[in-house]
Amino acid sequence: MNSANKLSSLLFSELTRTEIGQWAPEATVVLPVAAIEQHGPHLPVMADSLIAEGITSAAAALAGPQIPITVCPVVTYGASHHHLIFPGAMSLSTDTLIRTLRDLTDSLVSSGFRSIFLLNAHGGNEECVRLAARELALRHPVVAGAASYWTIAWEAIIEEEASASLGKLPGHAGGFETSLMLSLRPDLVRTDLLPLPGRGNKAAPPRDPASGPLIQRHGSWAAIDGYSDNASEASAETGNRLLGVISRAVADEFVRFHRLTFP
Ligand SMILES: [Zn+2]
């Protein structure tokens, strides 16, 4: 292990109670939050959880030489009630998710952590992770952060995607997520079903979903059969490049966040 990260593993679950107790007060801990839900006809329901794990572990490995950091197991279940119209969702209601995040982050405080970042990988969790972080810092003398990975890496994603014409960003089960999955777990992508039927991959000018007003239309997920674009341009190579720039941007955010807590 490098000199900055004195923890014997980047993974919280591999540490002993002694190591956690010793290093928690000066480390940043990351809690990834994802979902189990349908991802079109061609991706597994654990797509967001796999992507969360891939990005968080790569980003922590990049940040590790600079700061003490450890990554919790992914909160696999998220707020996916909007996908219950399809098979495959295991969803927590938003109030249950917020309470779950409260219990898990309170547990981290009990272990001694003072710098806690919730990294979100599923659109339906967006407001929940932010609320959880906001209230965590009210209850305890800690610094709490929360963001979706695509918001942290938005500029880099736009730049990287400009040549790839993937479709909606980050979208859902479209070219963007399919490329990430082709990079992380190609064995789980049903490429024989691509491109998906029903619509092209042309999208409106990309906009970070966390910017501007939230607009929700009843029945919209059924209307698009649960995927945002046809993934015709998805590739492992694009996924590799996207994962690279996203992981670097998220790592930079972890370092910046850590230095806010421990200036
Ligand atoms: Zn997803």
Side-chain angles (χ1 to χ4, degrees):
M1 185 49 57
N2 55 72
S3 57
N5 203 348
K6 305 195 177 63
L7 299 158
S8 64
S9 170
L10 290 168
L11 301 180
F12 177 94
S13 54
E14 293 184 357
L15 299 171
T16 65
R17 69 179 192 185
T18 308
E19 290 171 312
I20 290 170
Q22 186 173 4
W23 296 112
E26 59 187 80
T28 285
V29 63
V30 179
L31 183 64
V33 189
I36 296 288
E37 65 187 25
Q38 74 83 25
H39 269 71
H42 66 302
L43 294 179
V45 296
M46 71 187 298
D48 287 350
S49 297
L50 285 168
I51 291 168
E53 191 171 39
I55 289 171
T56 317
S57 55
L62 289 168
Q66 299 171 73
I67 58 168
I69 186 167
T70 187
V71 175
C72 295
V74 176
V75 180
T76 300
Y77 305 113
S80 300
H81 273 36
H82 50 302
H83 288 288
L84 289 173
I85 54 171
F86 305 98
M90 296 181 72
S91 179
L92 305 177
S93 57
T94 52
D95 56 331
T96 304
L97 177 59
I98 291 168
R99 287 204 309 274
T100 302
L101 295 175
R102 183 178 66 203
D103 287 352
L104 294 176
T105 52
D106 280 358
S107 304
L108 293 171
V109 174
S110 295
S111 286
F113 288 101
R114 295 187 290 139
S115 175
I116 301 170
F117 197 97
L118 290 88
L119 188 77
N120 179 45
H122 164 56
N125 299 340
E126 175 83 35
E127 293 83 2
C128 298
V129 296
R130 296 175 80 92
L131 263 178
R134 191 183 287 276
E135 296 189 349
L136 176 62
L138 288 175
R139 287 193 307 280
H140 301 290
V142 301
V143 179
S148 299
Y149 72 80
W150 55 82
T151 296
I152 293 170
W154 189 250
E155 299 298 328
I157 291 171
I158 294 298
E159 208 168 292
E160 205 51 56
E161 198 275 345
S163 58
S165 301
L166 286 177
K168 197 158 185 281
L169 294 176
H172 182 80
F176 177 78
E177 286 190 324
T178 302
S179 293
L180 297 183
M181 284 297 295
L182 283 169
S183 171
L184 288 166
R185 286 295 303 271
D187 56 310
L188 296 180
V189 181
R190 318 303 203 267
T191 49
D192 55 312
L193 299 175
L194 296 177
L196 302 176
R199 75 195 75 103
N201 70 344
K202 279 284 161 235
R207 180 175 71 83
D208 178 357
S211 70
L214 173 73
I215 297 170
Q216 296 284 285
R217 192 187 302 275
H218 185 83
S220 61
W221 284 98
I224 62 170
D225 194 22
Y227 56 92
S228 59
D229 52 270
N230 69 15
S232 60
E233 303 301 320
S235 73
E237 197 236 326
T238 301
N240 289 339
R241 284 192 287 108
L242 284 168
L243 281 173
V245 297
I246 292 167
S247 301
R248 272 192 293 282
V250 171
D252 289 347
E253 185 63 41
F254 289 164
V255 172
R256 197 162 35 241
F257 177 75
H258 181 83
R259 292 189 173 144
L260 280 177
T261 316
F262 306 103

